[in-house]
């Protein structure tokens, strides 16, 4: 039963990825997510169902608009595949459970943050604020539910999960605020808010793993970009892109990471 369901959720993830592409395209431009319907940005031709089948349309149309031949950004395919893969992994990891639903949801949110920051060096309040509000509601509901928190697998202080989330959020906020105070210009306000959101989502102590993973990936990529002169020392490296990878890894493999770390001693 797990196999077919996993495939269904992978397809669901790919379809969600299509919508995430719309968010990545339109949110920074302050455009509506639903109107106008999908169209080619180059020739304005309204796209049909055939043009909009995730992944397959891209492959069959060889990454070009069917009407005018304008290239479709490779990111469209990348987001669909990534979203499908993450939904699949989340289901594989947690089965049909609240943890699965939450992990899949947050993967989708962080994918939007990752790609908007990559393309525009922007972390939108329009994304982080509502996401933080949702995180707080989830924490509150989980804490108020009878019995122990449903999210015991994700949060390591199950009986006080709202506390865990708030401590996590505070750690992200304070740490990045300190970095910002020490070296203004190194990171932006958007990065600080993102760090706080990551803390709210992952809770304590996973927030530490999430932030460290993000910082590590960002550092390695920055070194590679500088070493191969792909970016100059003055170029902006979208920090939020790497930071937002941290919570995805942590939500999927947090308990393994913690166990591995504790096993070192
Ligand atoms: Zn076109």
């Amino acid at each position: 039963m797990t196999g077919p369901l996993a495939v269904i959720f992978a397809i669901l993830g790919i379809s969600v990825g299509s919508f995430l592409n719309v968010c990545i395209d339109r949110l920074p431009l302050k455009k509506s997510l639903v109107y106008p319907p999908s169209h080619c940005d180059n020739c304005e031709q309204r796209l049909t169902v055939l043009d909009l089948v995730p992944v397959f349309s891209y492959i069959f149309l060889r990454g070009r608009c069917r009407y005018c031949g304008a290239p479709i950004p490779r990111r469209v395919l990348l987001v669909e595949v990534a979203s499908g893969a993450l939904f699949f992994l989340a289901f594989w990891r947690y089965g049909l459970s609240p943890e699965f639903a939450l992990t899949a949801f947050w993967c989708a949110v962080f994918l939007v943050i990752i790609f908007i920051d990559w393309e525009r060096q922007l972390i939108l309040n329009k994304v982080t604020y509502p996401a933080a509000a949702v995180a707080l509601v989830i924490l509150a509901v989980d804490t108020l539910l009878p019995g122990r928190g449903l999210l015991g697998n994700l949060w390591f202080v199950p009986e006080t999960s709202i506390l865990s989330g708030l401590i996590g959020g505070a750690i992200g906020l304070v740490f990045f605020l300190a970095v910002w105070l020490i070296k203004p210009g190194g990171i932006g306000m958007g990065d600080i808010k993102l760090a706080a959101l990551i803390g709210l989502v992952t809770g304590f102590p996973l927030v530490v793993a999430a932030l460290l993973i993000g910082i590590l990936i960002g550092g390695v990529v920055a070194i590679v970009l500088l070493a191969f002169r792909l970016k100059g020392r003055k170029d902006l490296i979208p920090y939020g892109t790497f930071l937002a990878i941290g919570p995805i890894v942590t939500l999927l493999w947090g308990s393994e990471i913690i166990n591995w770390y504790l096993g070192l001693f």
Side-chain angles (χ1 to χ4, degrees):
M1 195 53 203
T2 318
L5 262 185
V7 173
I8 289 170
F9 282 118
I11 295 169
L12 177 73
I14 290 171
S15 318
V16 169
S18 287
F19 175 67
L20 300 182
N21 275 311
V22 175
C23 297
I24 295 164
D25 281 330
R26 297 191 185 184
L27 283 177
L29 303 174
K30 302 189 165 66
K31 283 188 187 165
S32 156
L33 292 180
V34 287
Y35 186 84
S38 301
H39 57 276
C40 170
D41 281 328
N42 186 50
C43 66
E44 310 270 319
Q45 172 70 43
R46 180 151 168 203
L47 301 179
T48 65
V49 177
L50 270 182
D51 302 310
L52 292 169
V53 184
V55 179
F56 288 99
S57 292
Y58 188 94
I59 292 169
F60 284 120
L61 298 172
R62 302 215 174 114
R64 293 185 171 277
C65 169
R66 189 144 64 97
Y67 309 97
C68 70
I72 303 164
R74 214 169 292 170
R75 178 257 293 167
V76 168
L77 182 65
L78 189 59
V79 169
E80 287 169 354
V81 171
S83 176
L86 289 171
F87 272 56
F88 178 85
L89 282 171
F91 179 74
W92 201 257
R93 180 77 178 74
Y94 295 113
L96 209 52
S97 63
E99 286 90 342
F100 158 65
L102 283 168
T103 302
F105 170 75
W106 288 119
C107 284
V109 171
F110 285 116
L111 276 178
V112 170
I113 293 175
I114 285 171
F115 282 93
I116 291 180
D117 196 36
W118 178 255
E119 291 178 354
R120 301 177 189 267
Q121 287 80 50
L122 265 181
I123 301 171
L124 301 172
N125 288 339
K126 209 184 323 181
V127 177
T128 35
Y129 288 171
V134 171
L136 285 172
V137 170
I138 293 171
L139 286 168
V141 169
D142 185 49
T143 307
L144 293 174
L145 279 177
R148 54 188 290 272
L150 270 176
L151 310 173
N153 284 339
L154 293 183
W155 278 286
F156 282 76
V157 198
E159 262 121 345
T160 53
S161 61
I162 187 112
L163 195 62
S164 157
L166 291 178
I167 294 171
I171 288 176
L173 185 73
V174 170
F175 180 70
F176 272 74
L177 206 56
V179 173
W180 182 78
L181 285 173
I182 294 165
K183 193 171 172 287
I187 57 169
M189 274 296 151
D191 296 309
I192 300 173
K193 294 169 194 166
L194 173 59
L197 171 66
I198 290 171
L200 281 178
V201 171
T202 54
F204 180 81
L206 280 182
V207 60
V208 181
L211 293 178
L212 281 179
I213 290 167
I215 291 167
L216 210 66
I217 296 174
V220 170
V221 172
I223 288 169
V224 170
L225 289 178
L226 288 174
F228 288 94
R229 296 178 191 277
L230 296 171
K231 289 231 185 208
R233 204 164 276 278
K234 292 249 166 81
D235 281 333
L236 267 178
I237 291 166
Y239 210 62
T241 296
F242 306 109
L243 217 49
I245 294 173
I248 292 181
V249 175
T250 312
L251 287 175
L252 284 168
W253 293 288
S255 44
E256 279 86 349
I257 293 169
I258 296 272
N259 286 336
W260 166 79
Y261 182 75
L262 294 177
L264 293 179
F265 300 100

